[in-house]
Amino acid sequence: VMDACGIELTERVWIAVLVPLVAVFCWIRNLDSLAPLATVANLCILFGLGVIVFDVFNLMHTRKAALFQHPGVHKVVIAGTAIPVFFGNAVYAFEGIGVVLPLENKMMNPRH
């Protein structure tokens, strides 16, 4: 998005912007104070999934005529460079549970 706007930031600028933000989050001792942010994050994830599902069905609807012209042909083409990106996204999506469970086990009064 930044490149599309013509804004280029170096790695040092990104680090200078992100380190104070990460430091503030590291100082939070009570995870209950993050509950509203977690709710907003979950809503954003649901919105993103909704956009993806809408886009997939919209794409299927626009290509439906092309599929009926060749009913026996169903090709799925995946570029070789997309496979590492897929696994990276899958690992990123599922790594959160490895953080949450140890935190919950170390809590004095875990609540479900």
Side-chain angles (χ1 to χ4, degrees):
V1 174
M2 302 284 285
D3 291 337
C5 296
I7 300 171
E8 293 186 24
L9 299 176
T10 64
E11 290 178 10
R12 290 179 185 227
V13 173
W14 278 111
I15 292 172
V17 169
L18 293 177
V19 164
L21 182 67
V22 171
V24 168
F25 281 119
C26 289
W27 288 334
I28 296 175
R29 293 201 179 261
N30 187 1
L31 295 179
D32 289 339
S33 61
L34 293 178
L37 291 176
T39 302
V40 170
N42 287 334
L43 291 174
C44 289
I45 289 172
L46 286 175
F47 176 74
L49 287 174
V51 168
I52 290 170
V53 169
F54 173 78
D55 192 41
V56 166
F57 282 112
N58 191 23
L59 185 64
M60 286 173 44
H61 177 69
T62 56
R63 292 190 177 179
K64 184 169 35 171
L67 287 176
F68 286 126
Q69 290 175 357
H70 307 285
V73 178
H74 297 285
K75 292 183 181 179
V76 176
V77 179
I78 299 175
T81 57
I83 294 172
V85 174
F86 165 75
F87 283 111
N89 286 336
V91 168
Y92 175 76
F94 292 113
E95 64 88 23
I97 195 66
V99 174
V100 172
L101 289 178
L103 278 176
E104 186 177 2
N105 289 337
K106 292 189 180 223
M107 291 173 67
M108 293 184 84
N109 299 318
R111 288 179 266 159
H112 297 282

